Amino acid sequence: MTTSAPDDSLTQLLGDRYRLERSLGCKAGRQTWLAQDVQTQEHVVLKQLTFSRDLTWDDVTLLEREAETLQSLSHAAIPRYLEQFELSSTHSKRIVLVQTYLDAPS
């Protein structure tokens, strides 16, 4: 299944740093992407929440909790928190959580 990037083509950078490669998952208001960090050339995972009617405050709380938890953990089998940022356009507002990519089953 091919999924295109919202508001961006796959050739553009998200957050001026991350090139989307492919979708890893999608639910209402939430998308997970495999991306390449163009500064380090490493693969990363981007978890995006897009503010819409489908998004609940629980979704925002869960993403914030995941970011806090990842920042406090250090284990080879758990992704590391890298950063979190917001993106705004005339059509949408998104929160993006960036974490390391682990090539392993979910």
Side-chain angles (χ1 to χ4, degrees):
M1 178 173 101
T2 303
T3 305
S4 62
D7 302 333
D8 302 308
S9 74
L10 290 175
T11 59
Q12 292 180 320
L13 298 181
L14 196 62
D16 296 325
R17 183 170 179 173
Y18 304 103
R19 180 168 288 114
L20 300 180
E21 291 189 355
R22 66 181 167 94
S23 174
L24 297 175
C26 184
K27 293 183 181 178
R30 297 175 286 172
Q31 296 178 329
T32 304
W33 292 90
L34 176 65
Q36 183 179 34
D37 182 336
V38 298
Q39 291 181 6
T40 66
Q41 302 304 309
E42 298 288 328
H43 279 109
V44 297
V45 172
L46 304 181
K47 293 188 175 182
Q48 294 184 91
L49 288 182
T50 302
F51 287 88
S52 68
R53 283 183 269 171
D54 297 329
L55 186 72
T56 68
W57 281 112
D58 285 342
D59 294 323
V60 176
T61 301
L62 287 173
L63 185 73
E64 289 175 350
R65 186 179 304 151
E66 180 176 359
E68 290 173 6
T69 301
L70 289 176
Q71 289 179 66
S72 68
L73 298 175
S74 178
H75 189 279
I78 299 173
R80 280 187 356 268
Y81 170 91
L82 297 173
E83 73 170 313
Q84 187 172 340
F85 59 91
E86 292 182 17
L87 295 173
S88 295
S89 70
T90 56
H91 304 296
S92 67
K93 180 172 183 159
R94 295 176 276 173
I95 298 173
V96 181
L97 169 63
V98 183
Q99 61 190 47
T100 56
Y101 171 71
L102 299 178
D103 189 12
S106 177

